[in-house]
């Protein structure tokens, strides 16, 4: 069986699953690893988890194509959709780091515990970490519940995982808007100073 030369996972398709969305976006979403639909289509989050992710992004006013760059920690599909091992995460990490540096997002949303482990080195505890801003390498990180968890817990009730995640994404959206406003303030100020 052929193995990926980066992460060591079995090669099942001619292509790896790298990203979708806008490489110039100010928001990056990092998930775990491709599932069957992603593996087939060569793009992350295009199956049922992706549908709920897109719906939630849209519900807070973010366009998944224009406003977000979406990727995964691991670029190959783990057999039977198992969680990637620590070794597979570590081997894939330099690739993810390059993506972060090239896209240069202001905010990174970590979708689920594998993304939190890969970036922050924290194992477990996503239910307490979610919704809490983290400072990391000059960027703001927002840990989120994984969309697959939301599929398994679809209640729309207030305080349920879907509503909590929507609230976390509203935080993300507000922060992105604040950053945008901050960056135009100096321009407005200098324009004003030229007025009589
Ligand atoms: N789950 C993930 O973490 N990533 C995908 O691309 C699809 C499902």
């Amino acid at each position: 069986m052929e193995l990926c030369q980066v992460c060591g996972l079995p090669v099942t398709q001619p292509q790896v699953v790298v990203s979708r969305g806008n490489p110039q976006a100010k928001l990056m979403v990092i998930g775990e690893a491709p599932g069957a639909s992603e593996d087939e289509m060569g793009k992350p989050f295009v199956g049922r988890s992706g549908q709920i992710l897109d719906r939630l992004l849209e519900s807070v006013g973010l366009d998944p194509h224009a406003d977000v760059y979406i990727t995964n920690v691991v670029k190959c599909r783990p057999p039977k959709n198992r969680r990637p091992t620590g070794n597979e995460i570590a081997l894939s990490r330099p690739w993810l780091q390059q993506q972060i540096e090239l896209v240069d997002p202001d905010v990174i949303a970590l979708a689920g515990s594998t993304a939190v482990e890969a970036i922050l080195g924290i194992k477990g505890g996503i239910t307490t970490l979610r919704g809490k801003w983290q400072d990391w390498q000059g960027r703001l990180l927002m840990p989120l519940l994984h969309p697959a968890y939301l599929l398994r817990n679809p209640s729309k009730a207030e305080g349920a995982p879907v509503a909590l995640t929507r609230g976390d994404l509203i935080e993300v959206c507000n922060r992105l808007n604040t950053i945008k406003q901050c960056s135009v303030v100096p321009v407005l100020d200098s324009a004003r100073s030229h007025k009589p």
Side-chain angles (χ1 to χ4, degrees):
M1 187 201 314
E2 195 188 342
L3 300 180
C4 171
Q5 293 182 9
V6 174
C7 66
L9 281 162
V11 170
T12 52
Q13 297 287 338
Q15 82 282 322
V16 286
V17 179
V18 182
S19 67
R20 71 173 167 100
N22 179 2
Q24 266 135 28
K26 290 292 149 211
L27 171 63
M28 184 166 183
V29 173
I30 304 177
E32 179 175 295
S37 315
E38 289 76 20
D39 203 25
E40 231 167 77
M41 295 183 60
K43 285 187 191 300
F45 283 107
V46 289
R48 287 180 65 227
S49 294
Q51 283 164 16
I52 193 166
L53 175 65
D54 282 6
R55 272 210 306 277
L56 281 168
L57 289 167
E58 281 161 0
S59 81
V60 302
L62 290 166
D63 178 338
H65 305 287
D67 299 328
V68 194
Y69 177 88
I70 301 176
T71 189
N72 282 310
V73 173
V74 170
K75 312 304 192 246
C76 297
R77 181 186 178 198
K80 297 188 185 151
N81 292 345
R82 66 157 169 74
R83 191 189 157 98
T85 63
N87 194 41
E88 288 154 3
I89 294 173
L91 290 168
S92 306
R93 187 65 182 74
W95 190 340
L96 180 60
Q97 187 65 27
Q98 269 198 334
Q99 288 176 290
I100 295 170
E101 280 161 25
L102 287 169
V103 175
D104 195 21
D106 292 325
V107 175
I108 301 178
L110 301 172
S113 57
T114 299
V116 168
E117 181 181 340
I119 298 290
L120 293 171
I122 302 170
K123 278 196 183 193
I126 186 70
T127 44
T128 38
L129 270 178
R130 62 135 282 274
K132 299 195 179 106
W133 286 109
Q134 311 284 322
D135 267 314
W136 176 80
Q137 295 191 352
R139 299 178 207 278
L140 284 167
L141 304 188
M142 172 59 84
L144 301 175
L145 297 173
H146 194 281
Y149 179 78
L150 305 183
L151 285 175
R152 294 193 297 273
N153 297 273
S155 163
K156 297 227 167 68
E158 203 180 315
V162 173
L164 293 177
T165 305
R166 188 164 181 274
D168 297 344
L169 284 171
I170 289 172
E171 276 280 316
V172 164
C173 201
N174 286 342
R175 195 58 74 102
L176 287 167
N177 288 335
T178 315
I179 294 167
K180 263 194 245 156
Q181 272 160 24
C182 288
S183 65
V184 300
V185 166
V187 178
L188 291 175
D189 279 346
S190 67
R192 209 174 299 136
S193 70
H194 288 286
K195 284 190 183 160

